[in-house]
Amino acid sequence: MNPNRPMPPRWAENLLEHLLPEHTREDIVGDLREEYAEALLPRYGRFGADLRYVRHVLSFLPAATRESTTMGVILIGVSVITAICMFWLAAMEIVLRHPLYAHRAALDVVLGLVCLATICIRLLHPPRTLDERSLRGIGFLLILFGALAFFQNAGSAHFEGFVFVISLLLMLQGVLMLLTLGRIVPGDQSRTSR
Amino acid sequence: MADLLGTFEQSVLLSILGLGPDAYGRAILNQVQESLERDVSAGAVYSTLERLEASGLVRSRLSAGTDIRGGRARRYYTVAAEGRRALVDTRRALTAIWENVQLPIKSILRPIEVRR
């Protein structure tokens, strides 16, 4: 191999190799390396070519997350941590009895239960238990709760590092849920039954 | 009877047919972008190719790699008989659906506007 030959970003190519199943890895990585050297680099220059190459690599992410169990394992891990945090927060609210503690404790318990539901759904294989729309709904709900907690905490005078971490975990959990449980179909690929 | 093909699937199959013996992944990606006149991600094309192959509409074979690819093999695709049939069926169905529609399509929206 010629060491002076233009190469796509090494990290992106490694990521691509990681995302692809073994039986298609060799040809797709080769195709995109060829595309990078022969089309993207001469047309867009180094920076533009790198960006476009990374975009191609990221386009394999939805399929990879659907197929691999890695993201599912991460999702379960994050859900467990968040569930523990939420139940712990609920317990603290009840012990400390700040104003509106009952409402906040209830919300914490609900979120904890959502996390437990996420774990159960993931373990039981979602298509048999809930439809795609419900799963997407739960994912978006988690992102929404996470974002609300994040911005409310960021705007408050008394910044809570713990709430900050939980809000990030909730958002991550929502995104992982959408990626692993929902079906993301690129473009118009559906086949309509006659 | 076979299912109807989506627009993207038709574009991929027609690109393979158009490219003939040169239909490998990268060439198909570029051809699809050209025919749809928009940027298409590699993931969309390759996942479609994989699905079409799994349903028996296309076949693939590996060939030797080149230096620019770091020696990695190329996968060439051909449309199977089932794929050609699916294309013909889809075209026939679409033609039948559009047969009685007069263009410009605005004219068939007029009754709805009148009702308002």
Side-chain angles (χ1 to χ4, degrees):
Chain A
M1 194 168 63
N2 185 351
N4 296 322
R5 195 173 291 287
M7 296 272 287
R10 189 74 208 134
W11 67 268
E13 199 172 74
N14 285 339
L15 176 64
L16 178 64
E17 284 178 358
H18 179 73
L19 291 176
L20 293 170
E22 204 177 333
H23 65 279
T24 57
R25 191 174 295 154
E26 191 181 331
D27 54 292
I28 295 178
V29 172
D31 280 353
L32 289 189
R33 190 184 276 197
E34 194 180 310
E35 174 76 0
Y36 179 86
E38 290 188 347
L40 298 180
L41 201 59
R43 201 179 303 161
Y44 301 108
R46 169 71 70 177
F47 183 68
D50 285 0
L51 279 182
R52 280 166 178 83
Y53 183 86
V54 170
R55 182 179 151 262
H56 279 313
V57 170
L58 292 180
S59 69
F60 288 94
L61 196 61
T65 48
R66 270 203 309 278
E67 283 168 16
S68 82
T69 54
T70 317
M71 287 290 170
V73 171
I74 296 172
L75 174 65
I76 290 173
V78 172
S79 302
V80 168
I81 294 167
T82 322
I84 291 168
C85 291
M86 297 320 294
F87 291 130
W88 186 83
L89 267 183
M92 285 296 107
E93 294 284 2
I94 293 165
V95 170
L96 296 172
R97 293 178 178 253
H98 286 310
L100 292 173
Y101 79 94
H103 296 89
R104 295 203 317 215
L107 182 65
D108 294 341
V109 169
V110 168
L111 283 175
L113 291 175
V114 169
C115 295
L116 289 181
T118 306
I119 299 164
C120 294
I121 289 164
R122 180 67 214 177
L123 291 176
L124 294 171
H125 297 290
R128 271 175 259 159
T129 51
L130 277 172
D131 67 5
E132 193 184 313
R133 222 176 296 166
S134 312
L135 296 170
R136 278 179 186 270
I138 293 174
F140 282 119
L141 204 67
L142 286 171
I143 296 172
L144 182 72
F145 274 131
L148 277 175
F150 182 88
F151 288 112
Q152 200 180 10
N153 188 44
S156 69
H158 188 64
F159 183 81
E160 298 269 8
F162 194 61
V163 176
F164 178 73
V165 173
I166 292 176
S167 63
L168 287 180
L169 283 174
L170 276 177
M171 285 191 276
L172 173 66
Q173 199 177 317
V175 171
L176 287 172
M177 188 126 181
L178 291 178
L179 286 174
T180 58
L181 302 180
R183 293 183 66 197
I184 299 164
V185 184
D188 173 17
Q189 297 181 346
S190 58
R191 304 183 87 199
T192 318
S193 290
R194 209 178 261 182
Chain B
M1 196 172 283
D3 291 342
L4 288 186
L5 299 166
T7 313
F8 202 82
E9 289 170 322
Q10 288 176 63
S11 173
V12 169
L13 286 171
L14 291 171
S15 297
I16 298 172
L17 285 174
L19 288 162
D22 300 324
Y24 72 102
R26 184 194 157 208
I28 297 167
L29 170 66
N30 290 330
Q31 188 69 28
V32 168
Q33 285 182 333
E34 207 173 291
S35 64
L36 294 179
E37 294 177 344
R38 64 177 167 94
D39 257 6
V40 173
S41 68
V45 171
Y46 286 103
S47 61
T48 303
L49 282 168
E50 201 171 337
R51 201 175 55 253
L52 290 173
E53 189 169 15
S55 46
L57 304 188
V58 300
R59 288 201 196 94
S60 75
R61 63 177 173 82
L62 286 173
S63 77
T66 56
D67 187 36
I68 202 161
R69 302 168 60 87
R72 290 177 168 85
R74 272 182 181 172
R75 186 179 293 275
Y76 284 91
Y77 292 89
T78 50
V79 179
E82 183 66 24
R84 288 168 194 264
R85 202 172 303 129
L87 273 172
V88 171
D89 286 350
T90 304
R91 175 161 182 163
R92 198 172 289 151
L94 288 176
T95 308
I97 290 166
W98 282 93
E99 202 172 26
N100 295 322
V101 178
Q102 288 185 346
L103 294 174
I105 205 161
K106 200 179 171 187
S107 63
I108 63 166
L109 293 175
R110 228 170 260 154
I112 299 168
E113 285 167 7
V114 169
R115 246 180 270 142
R116 275 183 198 157

